[in-house]
Each structure stands twice: as C-alpha cells, then as structure tokens.
Amino acid sequence: MKRIQRAFENKKDGLLSIFITAGYPNLNDTVEVLKELEANGVDMVELGIPFSDPMADGPVIQEASGVAINNGMTLKLLFEQLKDLRKQVNIPVLLMGYLNPVMQYGYEAFCKSCKEVGIDGVILPDLPLYEYEEEYKDLFESHGLANVFLVTPETSVERIQKLDTLTNGFLYLVSSSSTTGKKDGIDGTTDYFKRVQNMKLNSPTLIGFNVKDAASYKTACTYSQGAIIGTAFIRSLNKNNDLKTAIQEFISSIRQEKIENNA
Amino acid sequence: MSYNVDEKGYYGQFGGAYIPEMLYPNIEELRENYLKISQTEEFKKEFDHLLRHYVGRPTPLYLAKRLSAKYGAKIYLKREDLNHTGAHKVNNTVGQILLAQRLGKKRIIAETGAGQHGVATATVCALMGMECVVYMGAVDIERQQPNVKRMQMLGAKVVAAESGSKTLKDATNEAIRDWINNPTDTYYIIGSVVGPHPYPDMVARFQSVISEEMKWQLMEHEGRDYPDRVIACVGGGSNAAGAFYHYLDDERVELIAAEPAGLGLNSGKTAATTSKGKPGVLHAAKTLLMQTEDGQVVEPYSISAGLDYPGIGPMHAHLFDSGRGSFEYVTDDEALKACFEVSKLEGIIPALETAHAFAALNNLDLKKDEIVVINLSGRGDKDLNTLMKYV
Ligand SMILES: Cc1ncc(COP(=O)(O)O)c(C=O)c1O
C-alpha cells in the first residue's frame, strides 16, 4: 500500500504501469520481467494470476493465461517465485486476477502470502463490492493491501464516488466498455475521462484497456496520472525472443513521445 | 428453511453476482427490473399467450405404461419434448425476449451447448424480428450439426467458440465477452439457471411453468397434486429447476437430479459436478465447480453436449449441499441404453440429455404404487449424428 502511495506522490503524472501474466512467456520469467521493467523506468506492475476462463479478457491475454497455466504456473508457485521480490524490485507490484484461484488458495492465506512477499495491492474485478465491504475489507487492509476498483464509461457518478472512498490505492479507469485489447486506442472516450477528471476525486486514477502506444499513453496521461498497458506489452514479447531487448524496445517506444514533449 | 433464492440472490452459500465492473450496469438494470416487468398483468398475458399458442403448452403429462411395468412404479412423463423447437428451453427464451423488448434492447446474444437453447433463442428472435448471435463450442458445432443449420435458417449468426474444451463453458465465456463489448444495446439470454443473479432465479421462474402444470395434471390423473419423486437431468439445471420449482419446499417430494458421469466418475472424463466439484466461482456465480487445487476449471466431458458443463446452477448446488436433492450419476453408456430403451418401450426418442434422467430409474428402489414424474426435457432428433453409430 505504502509503495503505491509513494509512487503517486513522487510522480504527479505520466505513471506507466505494465500488466503481465505471471509465468509468461516462460514459467520462471516472472521476477526477471519485473526487474527489467523497473530497470526501464516502469513505475508499477500488475502481475496477472493466470485463470482458465478469463471472461473479461481478449485473445492476447487469454492466450498468455493459457500458456502460463500450461507452463505449470499456480498461485502457490507464484508466491514461491516472489519470495525474494523485495530484495530485487522496489516498484509497487499488484496482483490482478479472477476470484476463483484466490478463493481456492484461501482469502486469509492469500493476504498473508501477499504481505510476506511484499505485494502492495490487488485488483480482483469479479469480487463484488458488497462482499468486499462485508467480509474482506479489514482483512486486506490489515495486510497492507490496497484494493483497486475498476470504473467504466457506464459507471454512475454515485458509484464512482463510493469506489473513490473505498479504495486505498487508485481507481482503474477502463478506457471503454470492452474486454482487454479489444478496441483500437482510447480516443473515442475522452469525454468520459474528462467527466471523471472533473469530479476531483480523492484517489489517483490510471487509464487502462486499449492503451497500446506512445499516442494513447499520452492521451491517458492528459486525463489521469498515467496509464496501464497489458495486451500491447504482451504482444511485444511474442515478437521478440530476447526478453531484455523486447522490454527495452517496448518501454522506450511508449515513453518516447512523452520525453520529446517534455524536452 | 426455504430452498428458493433469498433477497440477495443466494441459495444458501451459492449464487450471487461475481461480475466485473463492465457488466455491473447491465446486471443492475436486470436485477431492478426482472420482477417488476415480468409480474405485470400485461407481461403475464403475453407470456401465457405465447406459451399456449406458439409453444404449444400445456404439455401433456403422460402415464408411460410399458416403462411403468418394467420399473414397477407409476411413471409419468412430462412431455417438454413436445414444445415448439423440441425442448423445455423455449419456455425461458420466450420469457427473456419479452423482457429484452421491454428493456429496449435491440440485439440478442446467447450461448448454447446442444444447440437447443440456441435454436430456442433464434426462434424467438425470428418471431420478434431481432438480431441474434449464438456462441457455440466448435466441438458442439460438430456433434450437433442439425441444430446449427436450424439456427442459421432462423436467421441467427452462429459463432464458433475455439477456446478451452470448445464446448458449453467456452461458448458462455464468449457470450459474456460479447456482452462486455456491447453493453448498451445487447441483451444476453442465458439458457440455464447459471450465471450471475438474477439469471438463475429468472430462468427458474420462466421454467416453473413445468411444475405448475404438473400440479394440476397430477390432480386430474391421481387426485393429488404432487408425485413421490421428480427426476430431471442437470446440465446447468434449468429443466430440473422448472420441474422442482413448486415442490422445492414440499418435503413429501423427492427431487432427483441426474448428472452426467461421462466415461465414469473416476475416469477423469466426466461432468458430474456434485461428485467432483468444490465451491468456486465460474460465469459470475458461486457454485459447485470442477476444478484443480489451484482453482483452474477442469474441462468437463459428457456424450451429451447439453450436460457437458463443469458447474451447476446455484440452486442445485444448494439442493446438494443441504441434502434436499438426491443426485444420481449416469454414464454415457447407461444414458445411451436408456435412450434406446425408451424409444422401443414408449415410441419416444428422448434427447441424450434427457436419457440421463431415464437411466437414473435403474438406481432407484421403486415401489409399485409410487408416483414418479420424469421431466422429458427434449426430443432426440438433434442427436442422430451421435446415435447413428449405435443403431
Ligand atoms: C433436451 C435438453 N435437456 C436438458 C438440457 C440441459 O440443460 P438444463 O440442465 O439447463 O436443463 C439441455 C441443454 O441443452 C437439453 O437440450
């Protein structure tokens, strides 16, 4: 939780957060990817817990999830891989995934393992708000876990306000009502970004889903503290066998325009 | 204790709405309106009218004499196979399309396993002049070809689901994804008592016409409005929910659910959820689910496409958990045998799904004057591709 807060304090805009499925492309790449992302100036990482039936994901993340499961990835193994995370990586790391693997691991055991390895927050899109409030809020908070909620263009003002007070991390603005990696860019929904921006929320916001290149990253940064990129990043790993090069090339391609602009 | 849904959308510990935010407005809209709309006189009138004059209800409750003689009980068949389109599925699609219209939706999507729900959806879409897209697993498209052609004739677009085991579960994933991508103009007609609240309750209500009719029909035949046992097959559990509905809290009636054991309970090729499953979340409901220790959904298997699902509706998970329901497991071979037996004894070729309910008779200790109702959920024409190998 603290690391997330600090990240937003240190950087008022232009945050770049990357989503990557744990155990992808290879089973033991998880920590290596985290280190490379940090080395290339990425501010935060969402580590995806693979699930067999990712109903909110498009083909690219579905496939990454399937590959990771075939590689032998499990939540238990993920926590083992992350055992020395905080000796190697300083940026905030969140776990993002579907509820069922967490439920089978056990909510308490899950929170405990998160705390032990230094996970800063969770994004569990199919955990209902009522269940979180009634049963898990205290548990998550007492283990230092920020819970991040999704907001979409269809989310009502009252609900956004409620989510704003409930989160102790940030709000994840889903760029359009879509599965991940579905639409081309995020230009179509700037009215919605403006609407949320004008609400003057207490929590920071990041825009994700369909952010894919320097231009869409820049748009996202105009209306929020930064962007989350998943599908486009995973796709870039598929094109390049060498992780290090792939990550470096991708991140610099995203930041490029931002750097030029500041210059 | 009530075995029906509570005001929060749960059956005991099962049910609820485990949906991502992208679906929240759709589900909220439905939750706020499904009872309000479906309980108006105007809605009820049109629903009843269509069931009577378009679907062909009430369906007969037929005393199967030769089957009764063979098994030593009074066995009645609730003839859902005689509905228009050949299965119980249409009861639900008529109800949901009337709801979709009243919510101002323009486009209908559905998932289908055996293709019966797909056909029933395509049918009501044709009737109402609405656009229709049906998701169907690529494996099921192979084994239920006649239904694919029927849907296409009815004007629906059939989209193959190529992920996972390419069956009902994966078709459902694709339909949910479509809904996420088309949140405002599209209505998702779910085909069973699965998915987020209010779907299980809504589908159960639309199917409850089955046991509503059973009550007065039994009264006519037997002078009492309840049987000793009701048997139904369970994929997601909509025909069973309809057949059980008005007896849920009537403990005189044994509720028997026939689940598909596939090649055998311990073969690793099964879809017997209550035997092999643990509580989990799939397709936005908490229910019993076949899964690995890590929470990955196990690919199910059954000869019958309509039962080939790794979960079960939350109502049935609760009937199992509470002991109110009796669960019987029927293998592919037992179902096939029952299918041929009923064909020869009663002149009715049942669907392979329904054949599981008939096969469950073998597991019961029946008494001579006992009254048993089997819900004959659908006819077997669609299964000829599979059955042909055995004739
Ligand atoms: C004839 C028939 N019976 C039963 C089923 C299983 O569905 P449910 O368990 O929802 O009744 C199907 C599904 O396709 C079917 O076609």
Side-chain angles (χ1 to χ4, degrees):
Chain A
M1 195 142 60
K2 293 234 176 60
R3 265 181 292 259
I4 296 175
Q5 283 159 0
R6 226 174 295 137
F8 282 104
E9 277 158 25
N10 292 344
K11 214 163 178 177
K12 294 282 179 266
D13 61 3
L15 249 90
L16 177 60
S17 184
I18 293 290
F19 171 91
I20 172 77
T21 305
Y24 183 86
N26 302 297
L27 183 61
N28 293 313
D29 286 340
T30 315
V31 176
E32 212 39 49
V33 171
L34 289 171
K35 287 198 310 206
E36 285 304 322
L37 288 172
E38 178 165 36
N40 283 281
V42 165
D43 301 292
M44 198 185 302
V45 177
E46 274 109 52
L47 205 47
I49 305 167
F51 183 49
S52 53
D53 294 83
M55 65 178 175
D57 286 301
V60 172
I61 294 179
Q62 279 176 46
E63 200 197 315
S65 198
V67 168
I69 292 170
N70 285 337
N71 285 345
M73 199 59 193
T74 64
L75 191 48
K76 205 164 142 207
L77 181 60
L78 175 59
F79 283 123
E80 275 165 35
Q81 289 182 347
L82 297 178
K83 203 168 54 186
D84 294 324
L85 172 72
R86 288 307 169 195
K87 291 188 190 137
Q88 307 172 75
V89 175
N90 292 314
I91 53 175
V93 178
L94 294 89
L95 292 187
M96 178 166 186
Y98 295 84
L99 197 56
N100 198 50
V102 174
M103 193 174 150
Q104 303 313 315
Y105 193 89
Y107 290 96
E108 284 206 44
F110 174 76
C111 289
K112 208 163 144 245
S113 295
C114 282
K115 189 175 174 177
E116 271 164 19
V117 303
I119 291 295
D120 305 288
V122 294
I123 311 177
L124 299 169
D126 56 349
L127 173 61
L129 205 55
Y130 60 83
E131 190 161 315
Y132 172 68
E133 283 189 270
E134 286 167 25
E135 294 179 43
Y136 303 118
K137 186 168 182 292
D138 295 342
L139 180 70
F140 283 20
E141 284 177 359
S142 66
H143 288 79
L145 290 174
N147 193 11
V148 169
F149 300 107
L150 306 191
V151 166
T152 80
E154 314 291 334
T155 308
S156 69
V157 170
E158 300 76 46
R159 192 166 160 87
I160 295 176
Q161 281 162 345
K162 174 160 187 187
L163 296 171
D164 183 34
T165 59
L166 270 175
T167 186
N168 35 28
F170 58 92
L171 291 180
Y172 188 142
L173 302 192
V174 176
S175 65
S176 62
S177 288
S178 76
T179 45
T180 52
K182 171 77 181 181
K183 303 236 159 103
D184 199 19
I186 62 168
D187 286 342
T189 43
T190 46
D191 284 351
Y192 144 67
F193 301 145
K194 273 185 217 158
R195 183 158 54 79
V196 176
Q197 197 176 29
N198 289 334
M199 285 178 70
K200 305 263 177 278
L201 301 170
N202 293 318
S203 319
T205 58
L206 294 179
I207 292 174
F209 279 45
N210 310 313
V211 180
K212 53 163 195 169
D213 53 16
S216 46
Y217 167 67
K218 195 176 151 215
T219 308
C221 293
T222 313
Y223 299 103
S224 75
Q225 276 80 348
I228 302 169
I229 304 182
T231 298
F233 174 68
I234 290 173
R235 213 179 248 143
S236 80
L237 296 185
N238 299 347
K239 282 195 213 118
N240 204 320
N241 295 335
D242 173 30
L243 263 185
K244 228 177 149 103
T245 318
I247 291 175
Q248 194 180 23
E249 280 176 9
F250 183 80
I251 302 302
S252 62
S253 80
I254 298 296
R255 294 276 205 202
Q256 187 183 25
E257 212 171 294
K258 181 83 190 163
I259 296 164
E260 280 168 11
N261 266 9
N262 287 352
Chain B
M1 181 169 187
S2 168
Y3 296 96
N4 217 324
V5 73
D6 68 21
E7 66 285 357
K8 283 181 154 170
Y10 283 80
Y11 300 82
Q13 63 162 313
F14 301 109
Y18 295 77
I19 42 168
E21 187 64 25
M22 290 77 92
L23 290 178
Y24 184 81
N26 305 33
I27 295 297
E28 260 316 274
E29 178 184 41
L30 204 54
R31 193 181 63 79
E32 281 172 8
N33 290 296
Y34 82 111
L35 288 180
K36 236 189 263 173
I37 293 176
S38 65
Q39 288 177 348
T40 59
E41 283 311 313
E42 177 266 337
F43 183 99
K44 283 199 261 187
K45 215 169 135 197
E46 187 168 358
F47 183 56
D48 291 345
H49 179 87
L50 284 173
L51 287 189
R52 196 176 165 84
H53 299 288
Y54 186 70
V55 172
R57 301 203 74 91
T59 59
L61 183 71
Y62 169 72
L63 176 62
K65 294 212 184 67
R66 298 186 67 200
L67 204 64
S68 297
K70 165 140 202 226
Y71 285 94
K74 269 188 146 172
I75 299 172
Y76 283 91
L77 308 180
K78 182 60 178 154
R79 297 291 308 274
E80 293 302 300
D81 60 317
L82 294 178
N83 283 325
H84 178 41
T85 71
H88 67 291
K89 296 285 182 186
V90 72
N91 302 328
N92 168 46
T93 59
V94 168
Q96 287 202 54
I97 200 135
L98 293 179
L99 191 64
Q101 281 182 324
R102 281 156 182 77
L103 291 171
K105 306 294 175 174
K106 300 278 175 273
R107 176 175 174 268
I108 299 292
I109 56 171
E111 86 297 339
T112 195
Q116 286 305 108
H117 174 59
V119 167
T121 304
T123 297
V124 295
C125 286
L127 181 68
M128 301 299 178
M130 284 169 92
E131 185 188 345
C132 180
V133 178
V134 179
Y135 291 91
M136 188 169 187
V139 167
D140 293 339
I141 287 184
E142 271 313 302
R143 58 179 163 176
Q144 310 278 203
Q145 262 302 311
N147 272 346
V148 176
K149 297 293 174 221
R150 283 168 84 194
M151 286 185 266
Q152 288 166 342
M153 273 191 77
L154 292 160
K157 188 173 153 206
V158 180
V159 181
E162 299 283 0
S163 56
S165 57
K166 303 183 174 45
T167 58
L168 180 55
K169 165 181 81 89
D170 313 288
T172 308
N173 287 336
E174 291 306 333
I176 293 174
R177 288 180 188 124
D178 181 310
W179 210 21
I180 289 174
N181 285 304
N182 298 286
T184 44
D185 68 336
T186 297
Y187 181 93
Y188 179 16
I189 300 190
I190 295 187
S192 193
V193 286
V194 301
H197 177 67
Y199 277 105
D201 182 46
M202 175 167 65
V203 176
R205 283 169 186 267
F206 289 141
Q207 291 294 358
S208 70
V209 64
I210 297 172
S211 49
E212 191 182 307
E213 289 173 4
M214 264 160 58
K215 286 184 85 166
W216 62 256
Q217 290 171 324
L218 278 170
M219 188 55 107
E220 271 182 21
H221 290 293
E222 295 288 340
R224 63 182 235 204
D225 69 354
Y226 66 97
D228 296 296
R229 317 187 199 222
V230 182
I231 311 177
C233 65
V234 173
S238 65
N239 87 86
F244 295 169
Y245 197 85
H246 290 284
Y247 300 118
L248 280 173
D249 298 327
D250 184 346
E251 308 257 0
R252 293 172 302 185
V253 183
E254 187 185 11
L255 308 176
I256 301 172
E259 273 211 279
L263 299 185
L265 283 181
N266 296 316
S267 64
K269 289 279 220 180
T270 181
T273 307
T274 54
S275 168
K276 295 288 151 192
K278 284 182 301 179
V281 172
L282 180 67
H283 298 144
K286 191 190 280 182
T287 189
L288 289 171
L289 179 62
M290 300 197 329
Q291 55 184 313
T292 65
E293 197 190 333
D294 184 46
Q296 308 301 340
V297 179
V298 169
E299 303 296 353
Y301 165 81
S302 165
I303 191 171
S304 129
L307 305 183
D308 199 351
Y309 186 70
I312 186 174
M315 171 198 277
H316 300 293
H318 183 51
L319 290 177
F320 177 79
D321 206 36
S322 61
R324 174 71 185 95
S326 309
F327 286 73
E328 299 294 339
Y329 307 106
V330 173
T331 63
D332 286 2
D333 286 347
E334 290 164 339
L336 279 168
K337 208 167 142 235
C339 187
F340 282 92
E341 182 180 86
V342 179
S343 303
K344 296 229 167 79
L345 281 181
E346 296 294 342
I348 299 169
I349 301 175
L352 273 174
E353 289 78 14
T354 316
H356 286 71
F358 281 101
L361 283 171
N362 293 300
N363 303 3
L364 305 178
D365 185 15
L366 296 167
K367 288 180 217 72
K368 191 126 200 67
D369 50 0
E370 245 183 84
I371 299 170
V372 177
V373 176
I374 295 179
N375 195 34
L376 212 172
S377 60
R379 63 175 190 232
D381 312 36
K382 70 180 177 59
D383 294 313
L384 281 182
N385 263 355
T386 308
L387 291 170
M388 238 146 19
K389 294 177 221 138
Y390 303 92
V391 179

